[in-house]
Structure formats: structure tokens, C-alpha cells
Amino acid sequence: QVRLVESGGGSVQAGGSLKLSCAASEYIDSRSCMGWFRQAPGKERERLAFIYRYFGSVYYADSVKGRFTISQDNSLSMNGLKPEDTAMYYCAADLDVPAPNGAACYAKSEYKYWGQGIQVTVSS
């Protein structure tokens, strides 16, 4: 069973930056979907950024497009952070790939492997 562990979260002022990392307990084939979700208190889980690693094909939610960047190591660079970005952030991965592109990874209904989550807090 693959375990994922997030790191790099914390508190930052609005306009600041953070980089989240996602370490896997074992090798994950590059022909896989990996991505990031977040969930704020009282809100539904939100899909953020996804990558089909073999081709480096990425897809972003409109809410983070132009501010967040996902890399092939499944790290998430977050710039221009806003208070509304405050949430628990989760990385996820799955070898079951609906199609070899980032959009398909974004739309994928379920992910098999998850991290435990890490808090990001943005103050105004």
C-alpha cells in the first residue's frame, strides 16, 4: 500500500508563497495521475491541480490557474496566496489512468492513494 506524506504547509500572509511536497513510500510509475485537493472547514473537497506525469500534462482548476504550479514530482508551488486559499491540502495518486492527460486526471472520480493532509493558512 503506497503511503503519501505532505510537507511544506504553514502560515503565510496574503500575497505570499508556499511550496507543498508529496513524498511517496515507494516508487510510483510515471504512467500515473497525481494531484492536489483541498478542503476548508464546512466546504466540499476541491480539486486543484493534476498531472499525468509521463507526459507532464497538467490541468488546473480556475480558482488556482496562474497562481499554482504542479510539478512532475507532485510538488505544488503556490504563489499569490489569498485568504480564501486557507484549507487542508491533500496529495493523491493513482495508477488507474482514464486517459494520459492532465484533464483526465482532474476529472478522475476517485483516487486510491492519499496523504494525511497538511494545513495552509493565509492571513489578510
Side-chain angles (χ1 to χ4, degrees):
Q1 180 78 3
V2 175
R3 290 178 291 110
L4 304 177
V5 179
E6 301 95 341
S7 61
S11 298
V12 65
Q13 288 191 326
S17 300
L18 284 173
K19 183 177 180 179
L20 304 183
S21 297
C22 178
S25 60
E26 58 188 76
Y27 172 75
I28 298 177
D29 192 280
S30 61
R31 293 175 177 83
S32 59
C33 286
M34 300 190 80
W36 289 87
F37 296 77
R38 70 185 177 192
Q39 188 165 20
K43 294 189 176 181
E44 292 188 356
R45 188 171 60 193
E46 180 183 9
R47 298 165 182 267
L48 300 178
F50 291 81
I51 186 168
Y52 180 69
R53 293 169 58 228
Y54 188 76
F55 294 139
S57 174
V58 300
Y59 192 90
Y60 298 95
D62 287 343
S63 59
V64 302
K65 194 176 298 181
R67 300 188 299 123
F68 290 14
T69 302
I70 188 170
S71 301
Q72 286 186 298
D73 61 357
N74 203 28
S75 61
L76 184 68
S77 296
M78 306 184 293
N79 298 312
L81 284 163
K82 305 174 182 179
E84 52 263 44
D85 293 318
T86 295
M88 190 72 79
Y89 284 67
Y90 300 88
C91 67
D94 203 317
L95 292 169
D96 183 13
V97 177
N101 60 71
C105 294
Y106 174 87
K108 182 173 163 60
S109 59
E110 294 182 356
Y111 273 77
K112 183 173 183 179
Y113 306 116
W114 289 86
Q116 81 286 352
I118 194 163
Q119 180 68 35
V120 170
T121 302
V122 184
S123 58
S124 57

